[in-house]
Amino acid sequence: MRTAWNFHSAGQLVFGRGAVRQLGSLLGRRKLSRVFIVTDPRLVTAGLAERVLQPLGAAGITCQVFSGGEPEPAVNVAVAATAEAREYRPDCVLGLGGGSNMDLAKIVAVLIAHCGEPASYFGFDNVPGPVLPIICVPTTAGTGSEVSHAAVLTDTVNHTKVSTLSQYLRPALAIVDPALTDGCPRQVTADSGIDALTHAIEAYTAIDFEQLDAPDGAPVAYEGRYPLGECLAEKAISLIGQHLVAAVKDGSNQAARDGMALAATTAGLAFSNCAVALVHALEYPLGGAVHVSHGAGNGLLLPFVMRYNLPVRKAALARIAALLGESIADLNENEAAEKSIAAVERIRAAIGIPQRLRDLGVKREQLPSFAEKAFAIKRLMGTNPRQPRQADLLQILEAAF
Ligand SMILES: NC(=O)c1ccc[n+]([C@@H]2O[C@H](COP(=O)([O-])OP(=O)(O)OC[C@H]3O[C@@H](n4cnc5c(N)ncnc54)[C@H](O)[C@@H]3O)[C@@H](O)[C@H]2O)c1
Ligand SMILES: [Fe+2]
């Protein structure tokens, strides 16, 4: 039984349209003058690297750009980025992009400070001490990596996602400028947006922090559900209910972009303290085996996991239904909870997230290995409000097939 909870965030969070223009003065105040920027070719072409380079150059700050990032980056991309960074000798690492580039930047910051290989730090709390200062500038509204303690890579040998979790991975500085998401492509907007919804719902329906199976005071990857996290998750869910479909349908809708940027960061604060759980556990082997983005995989699985958790999370799911704009006034708790699943299915369909695993090319024979790999991620089993057996995971996957 745990009696106290913890809350962690980025060291400083600057939020607002145009905020990226403050980058030079923000780094100057921290006496940072040699920045290794981790980004990818699409963002260079889209002119977003320039939006960061301009204020840094104007402040006399020296930069080197690594533009070899890729979606859901493989471990060897982190190794390549680190080799370049090591030659350059930066005093900080800036991740510009979606979760993929921000996570790469985090791993570079670890490897520059502590040497070794990415795999030396996989899992929770294996980073031995402070890392190079991490600066995150998101260009998607989704992962919340700009405030989180996580970095996810793809293990292309074992066909699964691998995460490194450490409080040392919280960025020193996060600059969330919704204008950087204005040109985000429709499908990336949809996929990353439903990832944010998954973060908020998994945090909001997680095991209660008192029930987490860990000694009081011991550092844990996730704390379980507690009141501050609930506030953040509620805010994120209602913002996503208001803005996600609009942002996908019309990318030039600035109010929708602003709302989603706030939702993603808020959901990031919620999940990276409270929890993600079965949806993310099941997505790791799925995303490693077939070509699907993290967000689309999560969005596909989310309603099936909500249904599994429904018997023990009726009140929370009923509240989620209301936050997503469903009318629940005349319904009993069970009916209202069911409405949350319908609401997620409605959003999922409206933004074009695949509905079934078979639509992704998954073969039924692969499901037992997905269940086995997911079940092995103990920290994500322990944060779910219902403690699953491996057979339960297989049943969820069968339902989603
Ligand atoms: N660290 C965490 O806490 C955390 C949490 C959830 C997910 N993740 C990880 O984040 C990754 C997914 O990140 P994501 O959903 O943000 O997508 P992403 O970073 O993979 O980006 C997808 C594609 O969109 C392009 N793109 C991004 N923003 C753009 C913009 N504004 N304009 C034009 N193109 C743009 C990118 O160049 C890329 O090709 C996965 O690897 C996932 O596992 C990390
Ligand atoms: Fe996620």
Side-chain angles (χ1 to χ4, degrees), residues 39-43 46 48 69-73 97-103 106 138-154 161 164-165 179-185 188 191-193 195 199 222 268 271-272 280 283-284 293-295 298:
T39 190
D40 67 53
R42 285 172 72 179
L43 296 180
L48 289 173
E70 63 182 19
E72 328 275 327
S100 295
N101 298 343
M102 292 191 280
D103 288 3
K106 290 178 175 185
T139 64
T140 60
T143 66
S145 182
E146 65 276 10
V147 290
S148 87
H149 61 337
V152 187
L153 297 175
T154 302
K161 298 296 215 46
T164 304
L165 297 130
L180 300 185
T181 68
D182 284 346
C184 190
V188 179
D191 293 2
S192 56
D195 187 25
H199 294 161
Y222 297 107
F271 96 77
S272 69
H280 275 73
E283 193 281 324
Y284 283 171
S293 74
H294 170 75
N298 277 340

